[in-house]
Amino acid sequence: MAGAPPIRGQTERIGVFQLGEEKAPGRPYSDLPNILMTMAAARNVMRAVRVFEFGGPEVLKIQSDVVIPAPKENQVLIKVHACGVNPVETYIRSGTYSRKPALPYTPGTDVAGVIEGIGEHVTTFKKGDRVFTIGTISGGYADYAVAAANKVFPLSDKLDFKQGAAIAIPYFTAYRALFQKGCAKAGESVLVHGASGGVGIATCQIARAYGLKVLGTAGTEEGMKMVLRNGAHQVFNHREANYIDKIKEYTRTGGVDIIIEMLSNINLAADLQLLSFAGRVMVVGCRGPIEINPRDTMTKESSIIGVSLFLATEEEMHECAAALLDGIEAGWLNPVVGPEYPLEQVAKAHEDILHSRGARGKMVLLL
């Protein structure tokens, strides 16, 4: 594919469709994006979101003449059908995150699609295989993406591409927070604070499957019902003024063994009041500073532990993958897809993931 020559007569027309132009026989105008994508692929170019400077959602620029990357040794090329959108990608784009990619770059890590090409020494995949990734090299907000073969996993026919794009960061993060960092054990209790989002739902499903007592919070009636459908034994509305008291009443004097915290800049101080002896708060998400009283950790010998999937070792990543692939086959891993956006609305997706009221599943881009 990398050496495919341009088709004469199409070079100047990619990405532009003039009013009044005759369409291909039997092809409706609604199929125009697919027609253009096919023409672009023939020229060895694709659509991709590019970031040339750090800033707000407006810095996400869609280009239709980006060269399709070629897979190198131990790499694969994936035709992307869906790509997950994660809050961390908005932090990186803004330039406020600790990791800053070299500019320009294409965001996106967890894609789902079909193997289009393989590099040397790749024996685990072949062209046409359905896959999902936990990372890309070239970026996932694009028609095609290159990924290291060891970051790619088979996508079961039990799941569609949208669900495949909702596995990687949410479920790997949830597993890491619960077991690799939180040392969760069957019979313990876990409170998932912000349980209706991608990581929250993943945590509820995993924790329930592994024998934990699962409590969750959400901010809408719809979100609360979703949390209960996905493994929680009990759910609380974190927009109610007295919801902390309700959780304390539910757990009585025992407290909660583990809290998976998605918004620690708001909830951390209250979380420390909810823990059991030797309880631990796993900080998965944070959007700013918060003041806490360290004495609250002393009275129960509780812990505050940060979680970063980016720091997982290759061995830890393979442990996550093995557990989650087993979960897909067993049927308890069932990603919930939330808001869906075409690639052209990527800026709105980045805006909505931080400011919309009430998460409801994993946000995805459709390509």
Side-chain angles (χ1 to χ4, degrees):
M1 172 171 288
I7 297 177
R8 291 184 179 178
Q10 293 183 353
T11 304
E12 290 76 28
R13 307 186 73 81
I14 300 299
V16 177
F17 193 87
Q18 298 176 351
L19 290 175
E21 183 175 358
E22 184 179 354
K23 66 180 178 68
R27 301 295 296 274
Y29 288 111
S30 61
D31 200 31
L32 181 58
N34 290 330
I35 296 173
L36 294 176
M37 190 165 61
T38 301
M39 294 167 63
R43 288 183 60 221
N44 200 35
V45 296
M46 65 177 183
R47 298 175 304 157
V49 174
R50 302 290 283 164
V51 176
F52 293 91
E53 60 179 326
F54 296 114
E58 69 278 0
V59 304
L60 297 165
K61 306 296 184 183
I62 299 179
Q63 296 188 313
S64 59
D65 58 353
V66 178
V67 175
I68 297 174
K72 298 178 182 178
E73 185 177 1
N74 297 316
Q75 296 177 357
V76 298
L77 176 67
I78 301 169
K79 171 64 190 76
V80 179
H81 285 255
C83 182
V85 180
N86 302 285
V88 67
E89 289 150 19
T90 71
Y91 310 150
I92 295 172
R93 181 217 69 226
S94 69
T96 61
Y97 198 66
S98 57
R99 293 173 58 253
K100 290 186 178 68
L103 298 171
Y105 77 99
T106 295
T109 59
D110 37 1
V111 308
V114 175
I115 296 289
E116 183 70 19
I118 59 175
E120 290 186 68
H121 309 306
V122 175
T123 59
T124 50
F125 299 102
K126 66 182 184 303
K127 184 174 180 178
D129 286 348
R130 301 172 80 250
V131 295
F132 71 95
T133 73
I134 185 58
T136 67
I137 295 169
S138 59
Y141 294 10
D143 289 324
Y144 295 87
V146 162
N150 64 356
K151 302 287 187 184
V152 179
F153 306 96
L155 179 61
S156 169
D157 290 337
K158 296 179 180 180
L159 304 178
D160 60 29
F161 289 119
K162 292 183 290 186
Q163 290 177 300
I167 297 173
I169 285 185
Y171 283 85
F172 278 68
T173 298
Y175 185 90
R176 180 168 177 78
L178 282 168
F179 302 111
Q180 293 178 343
K181 292 299 179 181
C183 301
K185 299 178 179 62
E188 288 190 310
S189 58
V190 57
L191 170 64
V192 186
H193 220 154
S196 61
V199 177
I201 288 172
T203 305
C204 289
Q205 291 180 358
I206 295 172
R208 182 65 177 256
Y210 277 77
L212 281 80
K213 180 76 170 182
V214 184
L215 315 180
T217 75
T220 66
E221 192 68 29
E222 178 186 359
M224 293 171 68
K225 291 177 180 178
M226 183 179 295
V227 171
L228 287 173
R229 287 196 303 268
N230 284 278
H233 294 86
Q234 184 69 25
V235 66
F236 303 89
N237 188 335
H238 57 222
R239 296 189 188 278
E240 292 182 357
N242 64 337
Y243 84 96
I244 293 291
D245 293 330
K246 289 185 177 180
I247 296 175
K248 288 181 178 179
E249 182 180 349
Y250 183 82
T251 60
R252 299 179 181 177
T253 59
V256 179
D257 297 307
I258 305 172
I259 297 177
I260 307 297
E261 183 52 71
M262 313 299 173
L263 201 60
S264 54
N265 56 297
I266 299 295
N267 302 318
L268 185 56
D271 288 343
L272 296 177
Q273 305 295 323
L274 293 172
L275 289 177
S276 64
F277 287 97
R280 48 270 190 213
V281 179
M282 314 307 300
V283 178
V284 171
C286 183
R287 299 181 187 176
I290 184 174
E291 181 177 316
I292 65 169
N293 184 351
R295 189 178 295 278
D296 291 335
T297 67
M298 298 165 58
T299 56
K300 297 179 180 178
E301 290 194 330
S302 54
S303 304
I304 303 170
I305 303 172
V307 179
S308 174
L309 190 58
F310 295 121
L311 297 180
T313 65
E314 187 168 342
E315 181 181 1
E316 288 173 327
M317 293 295 277
H318 280 292
E319 177 192 337
C320 289
L324 299 178
L325 290 173
D326 286 346
I328 293 174
E329 290 308 308
W332 58 256
L333 193 157
N334 187 28
V336 176
V337 176
E340 304 172 10
Y341 296 80
L343 190 65
E344 292 76 15
Q345 293 182 15
V346 62
K348 179 170 173 52
H350 269 225
E351 182 74 22
D352 290 350
I353 199 169
L354 294 183
H355 301 297
S356 61
R357 177 182 173 85
R360 54 187 193 283
K362 177 65 184 286
M363 180 181 289
V364 297
L365 293 175
L366 302 181
L367 293 102

